[in-house]
Amino acid sequence: MFSKTAEYALRATIYIAQKSSEDNKLGIEEIAKSIDAPRSFTAKILQLLTKDNEVISSVRGPNGGFYITEKAKGLSIRTILETIKEDDVFTKCVLGLKACSEAQPCPMHFQYKPIKQQLIRLFETKTIRDLAKELKTGERFLANFRPRKKTRVTK
Amino acid sequence: MFSKTAEYALRATIYIAQKSSEDNKLGIEEIAKSIDAPRSFTAKILQLLTKDNEVISSVRGPNGGFYITEKAKGLSIRTILETIKEDDVFTKCVLGLKACSEAQPCPMHFQYKPIKQQLIRLFETKTIRDLAKELKTGERFLANFRPRKKTRVTK
DNA sequence: ATAAATAAAGACAATTTTATCTTTATTTAT
DNA sequence: ATAAATAAAGATAAAATTGTCTTTATTTAT
Ligand code: FES
Ligand code: FES
């Protein structure tokens, strides 16, 4: 569905939203590890999202790092995707026609359309804050669980 | 949503299903042109689908070409996607976790799940024949329409 | 002022996807 | 049998995506 860039962007944003605040900024090291993504690549992606501090905010120097404002937490998932130019799902045809339109529909169009609308609705209505809250329940994951060989039993 | 490979595979298959028969086989040239895809790349993709004549059938030599049997027209879109190993949409997590599972759901999982199920249902129930029929109505497209500069008006 | 900590920027590299070109094998018609 | 037409196979190349490394700029603490 999404590129690696988009996946890391979403996971990182949700992680930052859940864990950070203006006076508890997170370093790239911690973020990348927590979402199980390559460090430098994640840094590059965050650079896109920190442009003008629009989605994610950052400051350099000691005690610097990434955080996200309460205001930005109200942004939709769609906003994140658009910021990183991953908006295919909103515009493209499922069979790859340049545009998805009723004027020149592909053979799947009318069956796909209602599903696409739900996807759009989902990404438009869900905010960063919503997803961070889900994560906070502790029963949601942003990285692959590494199962232990055995359950450690202490005597 | 899908790779170029998948898009071309689907468009080509639908085109072949609508236009060909066992005694009216189609050449790669015509197919590629009709679906607006690169010729040699399309040929490569058709090689995947003609493996064992499972989805698409082919014969070489004069009057050779590609066609699809009535039986194969009953195959689902999912079968095409699986044949070319494009089955992410059926298995992967929307945020990129290795697996989409209730055991370790991502923060979008429970919202995305019902939509995903509709996608799966769509690709599983729609057959090649269904889509070929849609195309036959003449009001569906497999290539981008090239608009004319002006509407030609004959006196 | 200086040093240290941090993200930003930029250059580079590896991998995957997309695309093309050439050669080979198969089939048909003559 | 031969030639022609076609897809299959294989080699290569271009482009895009993913990933890494090095240098620079900024901020803070001393
Ligand atoms: S035209 Fe293909 S999905 Fe709308
Ligand atoms: S776990 Fe992410 S969509 Fe199911």
Side-chain angles (χ1 to χ4, degrees):
Chain A
M1 163 123 281
F2 293 130
S3 67
K4 290 289 173 197
T5 296
E7 291 174 356
Y8 299 154
L10 293 169
R11 301 222 296 272
T13 304
I14 296 167
Y15 180 77
I16 294 168
Q18 195 251 305
K19 260 244 174 171
S20 81
S21 66
E22 186 149 2
D23 43 46
N24 179 29
K25 309 190 193 77
L26 307 179
I28 186 60
E29 189 72 47
E30 174 188 349
I31 295 167
K33 263 185 188 147
S34 304
I35 67 171
D36 192 19
R39 183 200 144 116
S40 294
F41 192 35
T42 305
K44 275 277 175 262
I45 294 165
L46 289 186
Q47 280 180 32
L48 300 173
L49 293 167
T50 50
K51 200 81 197 300
D52 304 319
N53 283 1
E54 230 176 73
V55 179
I56 293 174
S57 305
S58 73
V59 304
R60 305 198 244 198
N63 301 315
F66 299 90
Y67 67 101
I68 181 166
T69 65
E70 282 306 315
K71 188 181 165 206
K73 282 184 192 172
L75 294 174
S76 69
I77 302 311
R78 173 165 195 162
T79 304
I80 302 177
L81 294 172
E82 279 171 346
T83 302
I84 60 171
K85 274 155 198 155
E86 181 101 0
D87 50 6
D88 282 9
V89 67
F90 303 111
T91 61
K92 265 196 54 175
C93 158
V94 72
L95 293 190
L97 301 187
K98 295 221 175 71
C100 170
S101 85
E102 226 105 305
Q104 293 173 69
C106 74
M108 293 214 69
H109 178 81
F110 290 101
Q111 297 280 331
Y112 178 63
K113 188 180 168 190
I115 299 177
K116 179 175 182 166
Q117 283 174 336
Q118 289 173 67
L119 277 174
I120 292 177
R121 185 163 189 289
L122 175 63
F123 295 130
E124 265 178 3
T125 59
K126 275 281 157 187
T127 65
I128 297 170
R129 181 179 291 114
D130 292 336
L131 296 182
K133 268 186 198 156
E134 288 258 352
L135 183 59
K136 218 163 214 157
T137 69
E139 291 156 345
R140 302 289 186 277
F141 301 82
L142 286 178
N144 296 294
F145 192 72
R146 301 266 174 9
R148 319 210 163 253
K149 292 267 165 122
K150 299 240 176 179
T151 305
R152 179 95 61 110
V153 179
T154 317
K155 264 194 229 171
Chain B
M1 162 124 285
F2 292 130
S3 66
K4 290 288 173 199
T5 296
E7 291 174 356
Y8 299 155
L10 292 169
R11 301 222 295 272
T13 303
I14 296 168
Y15 180 77
I16 294 168
Q18 194 251 305
K19 260 247 176 167
S20 80
S21 66
E22 186 150 2
D23 43 47
N24 180 29
K25 309 189 193 80
L26 308 178
I28 186 62
E29 190 72 47
E30 175 188 349
I31 295 167
K33 262 184 188 145
S34 305
I35 67 170
D36 193 17
R39 182 202 145 115
S40 295
F41 191 37
T42 305
K44 275 280 174 259
I45 294 166
L46 290 186
Q47 281 179 32
L48 300 173
L49 293 167
T50 49
K51 200 81 196 300
D52 304 319
N53 284 359
E54 230 176 73
V55 179
I56 292 174
S57 305
S58 72
V59 302
R60 304 199 244 199
N63 302 312
F66 299 89
Y67 67 101
I68 181 166
T69 64
E70 282 305 315
K71 188 182 164 202
K73 283 184 191 169
L75 294 174
S76 70
I77 301 312
R78 174 167 192 161
T79 304
I80 301 177
L81 295 172
E82 279 172 346
T83 301
I84 61 172
K85 272 152 199 156
E86 182 101 0
D87 50 5
D88 282 10
V89 66
F90 303 111
T91 61
K92 265 196 55 176
C93 160
V94 73
L95 293 191
L97 301 188
K98 294 220 175 72
C100 169
S101 85
E102 226 104 305
Q104 292 174 69
C106 75
M108 292 214 70
H109 178 82
F110 291 101
Q111 298 279 331
Y112 178 62
K113 188 181 169 190
I115 299 177
K116 178 175 183 165
Q117 281 173 339
Q118 289 173 68
L119 277 174
I120 292 177
R121 184 162 188 289
L122 175 62
F123 295 129
E124 264 177 3
T125 59
K126 275 283 159 190
T127 65
I128 297 170
R129 181 179 293 114
D130 292 336
L131 296 182
K133 268 186 199 156
E134 288 257 354
L135 183 60
K136 218 163 216 157
T137 71
E139 291 156 345
R140 303 288 185 279
F141 300 82
L142 287 177
N144 297 295
F145 192 72
R146 301 263 173 9
R148 319 212 164 253
K149 292 267 164 124
K150 299 240 176 180
T151 304
R152 178 98 58 110
V153 180
T154 316
K155 263 194 227 168

